[in-house]
Amino acid sequence: MAAQNRRARFDYFIEDTLEAGLILTGTEVKSLRGGRASINEAYAGLKNGELYLFNAYIPEYGQAGRWLQHETKRPRKMLVHRRELSKLMGAIKQKGITLIPMTVYFNDRGIAKVEVGLATGKKKHDKRESEKERSWQRDKARLMRDKG
């Protein structure tokens, strides 16, 4: 896994997920394989009728020269089928639905993929509820481990 957005499930209700390809330059791929990328502030959106990943940070590749480096937070085009794109466009136009990147990874063929979730934002009381649930699951596992 090259990058993961661990707060996505805490901050949003994820209704559906989708896998999309990612168009990257050579230094971006090498830097992404290093595992120092961040998609915590990233989001996906439409630009000129196509799907892009905005605000994802992929650091410069240190072993390449200055003229080969990429821009660290440039918009990166995502590849999805036309039918999926029209479905996503309809979902984005609804009130309160956003596209949040969950993970960036390389598949078994070495192709960069991003898992995007259709999400609605959680309110403060929803976040407290999910924190209580996580705490209870942790305590329950601890009790079962100590008992058995």
Side-chain angles (χ1 to χ4, degrees):
M1 192 147 337
Q4 187 175 16
N5 188 353
R6 299 186 66 174
R7 286 196 57 91
R9 294 202 188 273
F10 181 73
D11 289 338
Y12 300 96
F13 290 114
I14 308 297
E15 288 146 22
D16 192 18
T17 59
L18 171 77
E19 180 184 75
L22 202 54
I23 295 181
L24 301 172
T25 63
T27 54
E28 286 175 328
V29 173
K30 290 204 173 240
S31 183
L32 200 58
R33 286 193 188 277
R36 296 181 305 143
S38 172
I39 57 170
N40 291 337
E41 299 91 30
Y43 62 97
L46 296 173
K47 177 180 167 185
N48 300 330
E50 295 175 336
L51 196 60
Y52 280 84
L53 181 65
F54 296 103
N55 211 19
Y57 175 75
I58 299 177
E60 292 182 343
Y61 183 59
Q63 295 172 336
R66 290 292 317 149
W67 61 92
L68 295 173
Q69 293 299 339
H70 61 274
E71 191 179 327
T72 57
K73 285 199 169 190
R74 73 175 182 88
R76 292 164 178 95
K77 188 174 177 181
M78 294 170 51
L79 302 172
V80 293
H81 292 285
R82 185 168 288 132
R83 187 174 291 159
E84 292 172 339
L85 181 63
S86 63
K87 178 182 138 187
L88 291 175
M89 287 172 66
I92 290 172
K93 289 178 181 169
Q94 288 181 4
K95 185 175 177 267
I97 294 188
T98 56
L99 291 173
I100 304 296
M102 310 283 282
T103 58
V104 175
Y105 60 94
F106 291 98
N107 69 359
D108 55 346
R109 292 174 40 203
I111 298 171
K113 300 283 186 177
V114 60
E115 184 182 11
V116 180
L118 262 75
T120 54
K122 283 186 181 178
K123 304 280 190 234
K124 197 169 201 167
H125 63 277
D126 294 327
K127 291 180 185 179
R128 279 196 297 261
E129 189 65 37
S130 62
E131 183 65 36
K132 282 182 195 173
E133 178 67 26
R134 191 175 324 135
S135 176
W136 166 240
Q137 292 296 331
R138 193 171 35 242
D139 290 343
K140 187 167 66 171
R142 190 177 298 129
L143 287 170
M144 293 299 285
R145 185 188 66 222
D146 291 343
K147 217 171 210 184

